[in-house]
Amino acid sequence: SQAQITQDDAAGQRINELLREQKLDASPNRVRFTVYNGVVLLVGQVPVDNTRALVHQVAQSAPGIKNVINELTVGSELTMSQITEDSYLSSKVRTKLATTRDFKSKHLTIVVENGSVYLMGLMTTEEQRIAVAVTRDVDGVKRVVRIMENWGA
């Protein structure tokens, strides 16, 4: 709904502000997040586990957040080459889904980080099955993570 989109946008802005205030948004941290239907997906790299936990707390503290899925890894930032590969992989997944017969979901957000593809959205069980199966078949996908809620269930 439009109200949920507005709430997700407000939560995203608040998370950005808090990350900036606590200086968690700059090197050596590489933190990216997506908010969808009150769920925050955290991806990227941080140098220590403490920072990983702190970023999780920041995301959880934003208004309207129901759940935080923390996929931050402890380690060095991705190289520009890895980031470019992820961007290309994201395009390949989007193209493959867009050209898949019987798949029309507009309620899908795709996030790619270091070869892992995160599928977020509200979809029917069948749309979810198709999205996961098609994504798994795209060359270069290392892992598919399903963060979906049932539409009309």
Side-chain angles (χ1 to χ4, degrees), residues 32 34 86-100 103 105-112 117-120 131 134-135 138 141:
R32 297 185 324 134
T34 303
D86 283 344
S87 180
Y88 178 56
L89 186 55
S90 178
S91 295
K92 289 197 315 187
V93 169
R94 287 174 205 285
T95 300
K96 187 77 170 165
L97 286 169
T99 58
T100 297
F103 185 79
S105 183
K106 291 175 178 51
H107 305 282
L108 177 65
T109 297
I110 300 167
V111 177
V112 180
V117 179
Y118 301 87
L119 302 174
M120 300 178 78
V134 168
T135 301
V138 174
V141 171

Side-chain angles (χ1 to χ4, degrees), residues 19-58:
L19 290 173
R20 203 171 20 257
E21 283 171 15
Q22 297 188 35
K23 306 213 182 332
L24 295 168
D25 64 339
S27 190
N29 302 324
R30 181 174 175 274
V31 176
R32 297 185 324 134
F33 67 90
T34 303
V35 182
Y36 190 98
N37 206 36
V39 176
V40 179
L41 169 65
L42 298 170
V43 296
Q45 301 76 41
V46 293
V48 293
D49 213 40
N50 243 8
T51 304
R52 185 178 186 275
L54 188 56
V55 172
H56 186 109
Q57 289 172 348
V58 163

